[in-house]
Amino acid sequence: MTLSAAPREASPVPFGVRVAAPPLADASGRVAKNAMHLFLGQGATTCLSMVLSAMLGRFLGSADFGVLYLVTSMCIASTVFLEWGQSVHLVREVAREGGSAGILLGSGVAFRVLSAVAVAVVGSALAALLGYDGRTRLLFLAMLLGWLLLSVGQAFGTIFRGRERMDADALVTVVTKVLTVALTVPALVLGGRLVSVIVAQAVAAALALGFAFSCYRRLRLPRIAFSSATVRNIAVNGTPIAAMSIAVVLQVYVDAVVLSKLSPVSVVGWYGAAKNIMNALIMPAAILGSASFPAFSRLAHAPRDLGLAVRASLRPLLGLAALGAVGTYLFADFAISVVYSRAKFGPSAAILQVFAPALLLLYTNVLLSMVVFVGGKAKLLAASKVLAVLVGTGLELLWIPVCQARWGNGALGVVAAFGVSELIMLAASLALAPRGSIGLPVLVDGGRALLAGAATLVAVRALPSTWSPLVQLPCCLLGFAGFAAVSGLLSRADLQVFRGMLGRRQTAPGVAP
């Protein structure tokens, strides 16, 4: 991924003037190429994260590694308040109003800095209230500084995404992780302990921020500015999205607590192993949603064009979701055996199999939520998410004991309840989506995805049981591709779009190549 300098814009678009939407003929190719950049960036950072995690565990030891996990968890929770929905709000506004990028970036950074001060005060007080010692609180504050620098760097990423320069966003993400590994590993090898790790990561974040700024300058984007009115606008418009983020974090926490109270600790371990694989399965949906969001934002005031863009993005996502659900159900035991071992985590496979239908719902909901956001119904969708969490928690209290008593695996109740909560979100997203954005063709594509998935499931089940999963897996992929083509889910136009992903380098809308 390389950045190419673009000529400075002769006359930036004035604030409040919307950028013209690109032709729909280019939309699918643009989204596909955006997704490719994000996939490459995420794949690289995932590999680097695994290397770093292994090194930290080996050199720090269990005690310091536990403290690091604790303060990192505190900072992760704080990120919701630092960002406050900017990953959606800023991308949407930049996509619609190209010339406002500088003001939105500067105001977004100011909001993050002010929020960090409040989080530092409240977080330290809460840590003291919970009985954590002074060293842990100081480590939290030190790490929070590094996370603030990372958060500011991510603010540049929102601008890049809004201008559909996902290549720049992915490059900054990879450089950030490379710098983190490059500085942290030598600190560990040279005998550094927990403080050295936190300092090294903060320095890496500062260097990555400088790189993000240089990318911003290289792309000749508008001058960074600040507006108190825009800061207030971010606070107001980011609230519904932040509420959804808090609900998601809360759901993860509640699931773990309820399961730990109603099932043995071994079941929690089975669920944790399955959860790690679930998170990897969910990643493509988040990437495709992020890649589609800028295009949806520009088409928000053109219902017919928005509907066409939604279908163009949702059709491949439905296919990927159906394939993922079928593959998860068929090869859950194989995945657990390879990653963890069947002897210790065998029951985790059943958890993944129950999760498989929910994966299809989750993929659909990720993209539909983006459609609801551009339609201005984020508050109602956030309220729906809170309702879904409450319903899911209530069902967990009922189903975990039943699953534990009948199958010895209470975690099955957690994923089953999650599936119901996703059904609630699907109904809410369909009801709140802008009129005309979800038409009959979208529903037909959903039926095609279900048909292709069901046919693939039956076909793979019919294969000889003596065949290795390494043989059955390619058969599953080829079979699904065939059924998708026969049903009309996969078209020649889709193949042309994916071929175009390897074509000429994309440029930001409104910026000359």
Side-chain angles (χ1 to χ4, degrees):
M1 291 173 288
T2 58
L3 286 175
S4 59
R8 184 175 296 276
E9 298 169 287
S11 55
V13 182
F15 184 81
V17 177
R18 299 188 184 280
V19 177
L24 278 174
D26 297 336
S28 296
R30 190 183 299 276
V31 169
K33 186 164 285 189
N34 289 342
M36 181 191 69
H37 289 305
L38 294 178
F39 271 118
L40 291 174
Q42 185 62 52
T45 55
T46 298
C47 293
L48 291 170
S49 295
M50 293 176 62
V51 172
L52 181 59
S53 179
M55 294 292 291
L56 288 170
R58 290 176 180 272
F59 280 88
L60 289 182
S62 59
D64 276 354
F65 190 78
V67 176
L68 178 64
Y69 175 80
L70 174 63
V71 295
T72 301
S73 299
M74 295 167 67
C75 287
I76 290 174
S78 302
T79 301
V80 176
F81 300 96
L82 267 61
E83 189 206 39
W84 203 252
Q86 291 185 41
S87 62
V88 172
H89 176 64
L90 261 62
V91 171
R92 179 180 60 197
E93 294 305 308
V94 171
R96 293 178 177 178
E97 304 171 356
S100 65
I103 296 177
L104 287 167
L105 175 58
S107 302
V109 169
F111 183 92
R112 292 170 192 251
V113 172
L114 293 174
S115 297
V117 174
V119 165
V121 174
V122 175
S124 297
L126 183 59
L129 185 63
L130 293 174
Y132 293 115
D133 58 25
R135 176 175 179 264
T136 300
R137 299 198 298 273
L138 287 175
L139 289 174
F140 162 67
L141 292 175
M143 179 170 279
L144 183 63
L145 174 61
W147 277 67
L148 172 61
L149 295 172
L150 284 174
S151 180
V152 173
Q154 290 169 357
F156 283 87
T158 62
I159 305 303
F160 298 149
R161 291 192 182 201
R163 299 301 293 267
E164 294 200 75
R165 289 306 302 249
M166 274 65 168
D167 56 335
D169 181 38
L171 182 60
V172 170
T173 301
V174 173
V175 168
T176 301
K177 185 59 68 174
V178 168
L179 288 170
T180 301
V181 173
L183 293 179
T184 304
V185 171
L188 291 170
V189 173
L190 294 174
R193 303 301 298 173
L194 189 53
V195 173
S196 299
V197 168
I198 293 176
V199 171
Q201 293 185 357
V203 172
L207 294 175
L209 175 57
F211 179 76
F213 179 74
S214 69
C215 291
Y216 187 90
R217 293 289 301 274
R218 184 173 177 80
L219 292 176
R220 309 293 177 88
L221 294 172
R223 184 175 60 87
I224 300 174
F226 165 80
S227 165
S228 58
T230 304
V231 173
R232 291 193 296 269
N233 182 267
I234 290 173
V236 172
N237 289 287
T239 298
I241 303 162
M244 283 198 66
S245 300
I246 293 171
V248 170
V249 173
L250 182 63
Q251 183 177 31
V252 174
Y253 177 75
V254 169
D255 289 349
V257 171
V258 173
L259 182 62
S260 67
K261 297 298 182 182
L262 299 178
S263 295
V265 66
S266 59
V267 176
V268 180
W270 299 340
Y271 177 72
K275 186 68 174 176
N276 287 334
I277 295 179
M278 291 178 203
N279 291 337
L281 292 170
I282 292 169
M283 182 184 68
I287 289 175
L288 289 172
S290 297
S292 303
F293 187 60
F296 291 170
S297 298
R298 284 192 301 275
L299 297 171
H301 298 281
R304 179 181 176 278
D305 290 345
L306 177 60
L308 293 174
V310 169
R311 188 190 181 195
S313 296
L314 192 56
R315 186 174 62 251
L317 186 141
L318 286 170
L320 187 61
L323 177 60
V326 171
T328 299
Y329 182 83
L330 290 172
F331 301 104
D333 183 69
F334 176 67
I336 292 297
S337 298
V338 171
V339 178
Y340 294 103
S341 88
R342 184 183 293 109
K344 295 182 179 180
F345 293 94
S348 297
I351 300 172
L352 285 175
Q353 288 181 319
V354 175
F355 171 74
L359 183 65
L360 181 58
L361 295 171
L362 180 60
Y363 267 57
T364 306
N365 288 339
V366 167
L367 192 69
L368 291 183
S369 66
M370 300 296 174
V371 181
V372 175
F373 287 153
V374 301
K377 299 284 184 68
K379 291 181 180 179
L380 292 176
L381 190 63
S384 301
K385 182 62 180 179
V386 173
L387 174 63
V389 171
L390 293 175
V391 172
T393 302
L395 292 176
E396 287 177 4
L397 294 172
L398 294 175
W399 290 350
I400 290 176
V402 173
C403 293
Q404 187 63 43
R406 181 167 297 184
W407 296 290
N409 191 344
L412 300 177
V414 175
V415 289
F418 175 77
V420 174
S421 69
E422 287 302 307
L423 274 175
I424 294 174
M425 292 306 297
L426 177 61
S429 297
L430 291 173
L432 296 173
R435 180 170 300 183
S437 61
I438 310 294
L440 181 60
V442 171
L443 301 180
V444 171
D445 288 337
R448 289 169 172 165
L450 291 175
L451 180 62
T456 304
L457 178 62
V458 172
V460 175
R461 280 294 193 185
L463 295 175
S465 59
T466 55
W467 286 15
S468 166
L470 296 177
V471 176
Q472 292 184 1
L473 184 57
C475 292
C476 177
L477 295 173
L478 292 174
F480 183 83
F483 290 126
V486 170
S487 67
L489 182 65
L490 181 64
S491 66
R492 181 177 299 178
D494 294 324
L495 296 177
Q496 292 175 348
V497 167
F498 290 121
R499 190 181 300 115
M501 291 168 63
L502 302 177
R504 63 183 178 83
R505 182 171 58 235
Q506 76 182 79
T507 56
V511 180

